[in-house]
Amino acid sequence: MSNHKTLTLLLITTVFSLVVGVGCSNQEATTNFEIRPVRYAEAVLAGGDQIRTFPGVARAASEQNLSFRVGGTITSVDVNVGSIVRKGQILMRLDSGDLKLRKQQAEAGLAQARAQSRNAKANYERVVALYENGNASMSEMDAARASFESANASEVSSETALSLAEQQVVYAQLRAPVTGSISQVTVDVNEAVGVGQTVVVIIDTDGNPEVQITVPEVFISGLREERPAQVVFGALGDEIFNALVTEVGTAATSAGGFPVIVRLDQGPRLAQIRPGMAAEVTFIIEGISETTGVLVPPQAVGQDHLGRFVYVLNRTDTESVATAERRSVETGALTPAGLEIINGISDGEFVATAGIKTLVSGQQVRFLRTD
């Protein structure tokens, strides 16, 4: 009998331990539950100004492709990619031996032309004197004058030829047209280049950098030139650069948006901005809708037997965590900027835009960036 009681007590203890163990395991699983990330969007006032951010790429205010104005063989390359150069600084040189010979030839031709011009002038003056004394005919004087004028023309032509030859020698040196930095060097020493062939690309560092973005067609009508903007570069931290819209495209690109250029204002850190840096540009877009209420992405609105609804994400004490709240909404027109919500949510509230069929009210979620 005592063995039976002992066995019964052992079974009861084992079952109790299992129940307690399962309870602890469930409690631990609940404690370690991972908060679900959700995509979201902000409800914006329809017909009102909207703040929008677009990705872009920095570029130089001026980028120039440099080439020689004469052909030849490169004898020296005095810059590298990244070199900072001053206006007028020599960047490359061509072999100018042949050009200098042509210059000498032109100098000799000019000297000969000047001698012939002086001789023709003296002869003309002599014939004129003879004509006045009746010792030369009119035809002789006309011939002397023609010879003199031809010699003068030859002298002018020789002077022009010498100037061109001198310029050719100067063109054998490629100088920087602006103060800037070298972004490309496409040739090397002993390489033959032709007239107009790009050999160096220089970025003008005196002008303010620009950022090019692509704006969707639904927003382009709300942008104007001279509209202020704010630019942030990921490589430069959270610093905000002020800018102005300088160009608004009138034709869509292949990507389906319109090109927009913003130029940065003067600032102490402009020199750290390099072409190709990723940027985010924020504008205030003028109201472009005639509807009322607020606008949300169409995918943020669900429908079941209770009607149409959205899940509003209410922030908790932790900024990146929110509590989902189901709200019934009354919808209006579908516009290019989003679906109109007439009643149910307010401007500035955040709504879930994905997985709304699996959300429940009171569920904690984490904001998932959708940049």
Side-chain angles (χ1 to χ4, degrees), residues 12-41:
I12 293 174
T13 302
T14 302
V15 171
F16 179 75
S17 298
L18 290 173
V19 171
V20 173
V22 170
C24 292
S25 177
N26 289 338
Q27 183 178 5
E28 183 179 355
T30 302
T31 303
N32 295 332
F33 179 73
E34 183 178 355
I35 298 176
R36 171 186 168 183
V38 295
R39 298 184 181 275
Y40 68 95

Side-chain angles (χ1 to χ4, degrees), residues 182-222:
I182 304 300
S183 63
Q184 291 184 50
V185 177
T186 62
V187 294
D188 207 343
V189 175
N190 296 325
E191 186 172 341
V193 296
V195 177
Q197 177 183 341
T198 298
V199 294
V200 173
V201 179
I202 186 172
I203 296 173
D204 183 359
T205 56
D206 286 343
N208 290 5
E210 298 176 339
V211 176
Q212 180 172 351
I213 62 175
T214 300
V215 176
E217 59 181 285
V218 297
F219 299 118
I220 197 65
S221 61

Side-chain angles (χ1 to χ4, degrees), residues 63 87 161 169 210 220 222-223 225 281 288 304 309 327-328 332:
E63 186 175 80
K87 182 178 181 179
V169 174
E210 298 176 339
I220 197 65
L223 273 180
E225 291 185 6
V281 182
I288 56 176
D304 58 15
F309 64 92
R327 288 193 199 169
S328 298

Side-chain angles (χ1 to χ4, degrees), residues 55-360:
V57 177
R59 70 177 198 179
S62 173
E63 186 175 80
Q64 303 181 29
N65 298 326
L66 305 185
S67 60
F68 284 101
R69 299 177 67 174
V70 293
T73 302
I74 295 176
T75 57
S76 69
V77 177
D78 302 330
V79 292
N80 298 309
V81 173
S83 298
I84 305 299
V85 298
R86 302 179 307 277
K87 182 178 181 179
Q89 179 178 335
I90 296 177
L91 309 179
M92 291 185 183
R93 292 180 175 86
L94 292 178
D95 182 0
S96 59
D98 291 345
L99 300 176
K100 289 179 179 178
L101 289 175
R102 292 174 189 171
K103 176 186 173 184
Q104 293 174 1
Q105 186 178 22
E107 289 173 341
L110 177 59
Q112 182 179 5
R114 283 175 175 171
Q116 292 175 347
S117 178
R118 286 193 300 268
N119 184 56
K121 180 180 179 182
N123 183 60
Y124 174 60
E125 291 174 346
R126 181 178 61 81
V127 173
V128 169
L130 291 173
Y131 175 77
E132 291 175 349
N133 294 328
N135 296 319
S137 65
M138 176 67 73
S139 61
E140 290 175 329
M141 187 179 69
D142 289 342
R145 182 172 61 242
S147 179
F148 172 54
E149 290 175 351
S150 176
N152 275 341
S154 295
E155 182 180 358
V156 172
S157 177
S158 296
E159 289 175 348
T160 302
L162 177 58
S163 296
L164 290 175
E166 290 173 342
Q167 286 288 358
Q168 298 286 303
V169 174
V170 173
Y171 292 156
Q173 297 178 340
L174 182 64
R175 296 178 180 270
V178 295
T179 297
S181 63
I182 304 300
S183 63
Q184 291 184 50
V185 177
T186 62
V187 294
D188 207 343
V189 175
N190 296 325
E191 186 172 341
V193 296
V195 177
Q197 177 183 341
T198 298
V199 294
V200 173
V201 179
I202 186 172
I203 296 173
D204 183 359
T205 56
D206 286 343
N208 290 5
E210 298 176 339
V211 176
Q212 180 172 351
I213 62 175
T214 300
V215 176
E217 59 181 285
V218 297
F219 299 118
I220 197 65
S221 61
L223 273 180
R224 300 286 185 276
E225 291 185 6
E226 302 301 320
R227 176 170 290 276
Q230 292 185 328
V231 183
V232 174
F233 296 92
L236 301 180
D238 296 328
E239 181 174 353
I240 296 175
F241 294 83
N242 294 322
L244 286 177
V245 177
T246 57
E247 299 178 31
V248 178
T250 57
T253 64
S254 58
F258 289 77
V260 174
I261 305 296
V262 300
R263 180 170 297 162
L264 277 65
D265 293 341
Q266 291 290 347
R269 299 191 68 188
L270 287 187
Q272 300 181 34
I273 299 173
R274 298 287 185 269
M277 278 187 174
E280 289 187 343
V281 182
T282 302
F283 303 101
I284 297 178
I285 305 291
E286 294 177 352
I288 56 176
S289 174
E290 297 179 356
T291 60
T292 59
V294 296
L295 298 174
V296 299
Q299 63 269 27
V301 180
Q303 185 171 2
D304 58 15
H305 66 284
L306 296 178
R308 294 188 175 181
F309 64 92
V310 299
Y311 274 98
V312 176
L313 306 179
N314 300 308
R315 292 187 183 276
T316 63
D317 294 338
T318 304
E319 186 170 339
S320 61
V321 176
T323 301
E325 175 192 355
R326 173 174 168 143
R327 288 193 199 169
S328 298
V329 294
E330 179 184 354
T331 60
L334 178 61
T335 73
L339 180 61
E340 178 189 11
I341 305 296
I342 299 175
N343 188 26
I345 58 175
S346 303
D347 177 37
E349 290 191 295
F350 294 100
V351 295
T353 59
I356 60 176
K357 292 184 179 180
T358 59
L359 288 175
V360 294

